[in-house]
Structures are given as C-alpha cells and as structure tokens.
Amino acid sequence: MRWLGRSTLRSMADVVIPATVGDPADSAASTPLHPRVMVVTGMSGAGRSTVAKVLEDLGYFVIDNLPPGLMGDVVALNDVPEGRKRLAVVVDSRGGLPSDELQGAVNRLRAAGVETTVLFVDADDAALVRRYSESRRPHPVPAATVTESITAERDLLEEIREGADLVIDTTDTNVHQLRRQVEERFRDQPVSQPMQVALVTFGYKHGVPREADLVFDCRFLPNPHWVAELRPQTGKDPAVADYVMGNPDAVAFLDRVEDMLSFLIPRFREEAKSYLTIAIGCTGGRHRSVTLSEELRRWLEEHDISATIRHRDIDK
C-alpha cells in the first residue's frame, strides 16, 4: 500500500481543487480532469485494510489514514489529463472522526465535479470482538474493554454509515471472500458508470444482511428442503429451480419485484445512487432464494443493468 505522511500533507494547505476549464475546441488530452475518488471508512477490524489492498491491486492509488480536511488537496495533486486515475482514501477513527467533517469534505469534492463514492466496511459486534481477541491488537478507540471501544466507535460512525453510498458487511466473510467481493464490485469500472446492483441471498436463520437496501422474503413458497431428493441440492441446480419456478406464486412474486425495480432503479439513478444491494431470503439460504435471485439477475441483465450475485449461506 502506498503511504503519504501527515507532515507531507500539511504542506499542501495552499492547494485548491482546480476547475476543469478551457475552450471546447481544446484537445481533451490537455484538459486536467479529476480522478475518481473512493473514500473507504468503517469499523476497525471489519476489513478496511483488506479492501484498500484489493483496490490498490485494481489500480487505485491508495492513501491511508488521511484527515478529511486534506482530501481536496490530495485530489488536486492527482489531476490527470486522461481523467482515468482512481484514488482511494482510507479514513479511520483514530483521533476521532466527526461525521460532519467527513461529509463536508465529500460534499466539497462533489460540488467541484469530483466523482466520489463513500464505502463503509462493517461487521457485527460479536465478530469484531472475536477478531480483536484473536489478533490481540489494541483498539484505536480507547476504553476499558474491547466491547466498550466498539460501542464508542459505532456511535462515532453512525451518521457516516447512514450516509454511505455502499456498505459491505464482513460478519460472515473471510479475507478471501471479501477480496472476491471487492474485485467483483470494482474491477474494470469505467470513469462514468451506471448504477451497479448486487444481489445477496441469505437464510433468515443466519440473519439478515446488514448491507441490504431492499429485502425480500420468499419463505411463503414451498420449501425444497422437505423433498428428499432436492434437499442436498441448491437453487442453482435445475431440479430445484424447476421445483421453485413451477409454483405460480414464485412467478407472480418475481413479476412484482421486477415491477418495483422498474419503478425504483430510474429514480435511484436520478438521485445519483451508485450502488443498490438487494437481498432475497428464505429459511436456510440454499434453495428458494438462490433460484429466485438467479432469475432476477437474468432479468436485470436483459435490461442492461449491471448485476453481481453472492449466495451468502449456500454452503451452510
């Protein structure tokens, strides 16, 4: 990971974000354009460092532990003629992180025409406690216990999480799964892109995904788990898919979800929402939700909507 020290950053205080100006007849190659900016923040122990390393592997220039007030200066120094450079800024809670300070910095970048995405990495408290117990590292927010430190940090970051463009929950995700998830989201992204949709399937007995924007419950459908020959299979197998989609209620359910998304997605785009996470759940997350999400992905792609899919609990 590339690092930029605080002392170096303080010397940039007089740098301002330049506006993109010039005669339309000028060559595009001679006109400075801002890099795309990814602001990575979130709970300590949730995987910020892993996300930053993956972004660097994908071609982002990564700066860690940057004070929000200096984000504009760094962007100004990274303007490039082609306008294709991608910059990732990792912001954490060391020393305190007022939500209005970060949001103000993001708002200033966007007002200057800089494409800026805030990515929040999260995990539930039990997972964070376990990770800190295993690593034996001190938590950056001082308190009497790790649990109290996590609680204090969550309170500190609550508004930032609410305003994030994208939340990645790593509670049930190992390092390798997180890497694949970030790569799927951000590999080969063009400078200007349509809203990306992520489908996540889950089992209600394992908990609802925290990162979901929309949640659909398909437990009203007959469960293939109770059919002996279908139980060991998953919703990706043709026999299970035929069983699920052979029910008229499954077809009606998908029709209504598709109608809703046909209404919502254009409006989310108008509000400049870059990412939409749709979760579909059944009891165990292996059969009904998997089949329905695969069908929904096909429908999205038929309508030229970029979609990824993750079957969170399919192997449980």
Side-chain angles (χ1 to χ4, degrees):
M1 185 181 299
R2 300 183 178 93
W3 298 81
L4 195 57
R6 288 178 183 265
S7 59
T8 304
L9 293 171
R10 290 193 186 98
S11 67
M12 303 176 187
D14 296 329
V15 181
V16 295
I17 303 175
T20 301
V21 296
D23 191 294
D26 292 344
S27 169
S30 65
T31 303
L33 297 175
H34 306 311
R36 167 187 292 155
V37 177
M38 177 78 67
V39 179
V40 181
T41 187
M43 296 295 292
S44 301
R48 279 194 318 258
S49 297
T50 298
V51 170
K53 290 175 183 176
V54 178
L55 291 176
E56 184 174 45
D57 290 343
L58 294 177
Y60 283 77
F61 185 87
V62 178
I63 302 174
D64 193 28
N65 193 23
L66 181 72
L70 294 177
M71 284 168 48
D73 301 342
V74 172
V75 170
L77 293 182
N78 279 276
D79 279 351
V80 287
E82 297 297 330
R84 294 174 183 170
K85 183 178 289 187
R86 297 182 294 184
L87 178 67
V89 176
V90 183
V91 182
D92 62 31
S93 57
R94 279 174 280 185
L97 178 58
S99 59
D100 56 350
E101 182 181 353
L102 178 58
Q103 191 59 54
V106 171
N107 290 342
R108 286 191 293 275
L109 289 177
R110 288 172 174 166
V114 179
E115 184 180 346
T116 307
T117 299
V118 178
L119 167 60
F120 192 98
V121 188
D122 201 359
D124 68 25
D125 289 2
L128 295 175
V129 170
R130 184 179 66 253
R131 292 170 190 175
Y132 268 97
S133 297
E134 292 171 351
S135 69
R136 299 185 180 180
R137 295 180 58 199
H139 196 281
V141 178
T145 66
V146 171
T147 300
E148 292 177 5
S149 293
I150 292 170
T151 299
E153 184 178 46
R154 195 172 294 285
D155 290 342
L156 185 68
L157 300 177
E158 181 179 3
E159 291 185 21
I160 296 174
R161 187 188 193 282
E162 288 297 318
D165 299 290
L166 176 64
V167 177
I168 294 181
D169 190 297
T170 68
T171 299
D172 299 304
T173 305
N174 62 36
V175 173
H176 305 294
Q177 292 169 332
L178 177 57
R179 170 173 282 276
R180 286 195 296 271
Q181 190 174 345
V182 175
E183 287 175 343
E184 289 174 357
R185 287 277 192 166
F186 303 114
R187 180 189 285 119
D188 299 328
Q189 285 187 332
V191 172
S192 296
Q193 62 171 10
M195 183 177 68
Q196 286 194 320
V197 175
L199 298 170
V200 181
T201 65
F202 69 97
Y204 274 91
K205 67 180 183 180
H206 303 300
V208 178
R210 293 164 57 91
E211 70 269 29
D213 297 301
L214 301 173
V215 179
F216 296 102
D217 184 348
C218 63
R219 288 176 292 179
F220 63 90
L221 294 171
N223 192 347
H225 175 82
W226 302 115
V227 180
E229 62 269 25
L230 299 180
R231 183 176 303 174
Q233 301 183 53
T234 74
K236 298 174 74 172
D237 291 303
V240 175
D242 289 344
Y243 178 88
V244 173
M245 296 309 300
N247 189 307
D249 285 346
V251 177
F253 172 78
L254 277 178
D255 285 343
R256 285 161 174 76
V257 171
E258 291 163 1
D259 284 345
M260 179 181 292
L261 294 178
S262 295
F263 173 80
L264 289 175
I265 287 177
R267 287 157 179 81
F268 284 144
R269 284 173 170 165
E270 289 173 3
E271 292 299 316
K273 185 175 178 63
S274 300
Y275 303 95
L276 176 67
T277 300
I278 303 169
I280 301 179
C282 58
T283 304
R286 283 178 48 82
H287 297 110
R288 294 164 289 181
S289 61
V290 172
T291 291
L292 292 170
S293 65
E294 293 286 351
E295 293 288 333
L296 185 57
R297 177 170 64 170
R298 280 190 282 273
W299 177 84
L300 289 166
E301 292 179 345
E302 287 171 0
H303 289 77
D304 298 321
I305 298 171
S306 175
T308 62
I309 192 165
R310 178 168 64 98
H311 301 302
R312 193 192 72 179
D313 300 328
I314 196 170
D315 295 321
K316 292 183 179 178

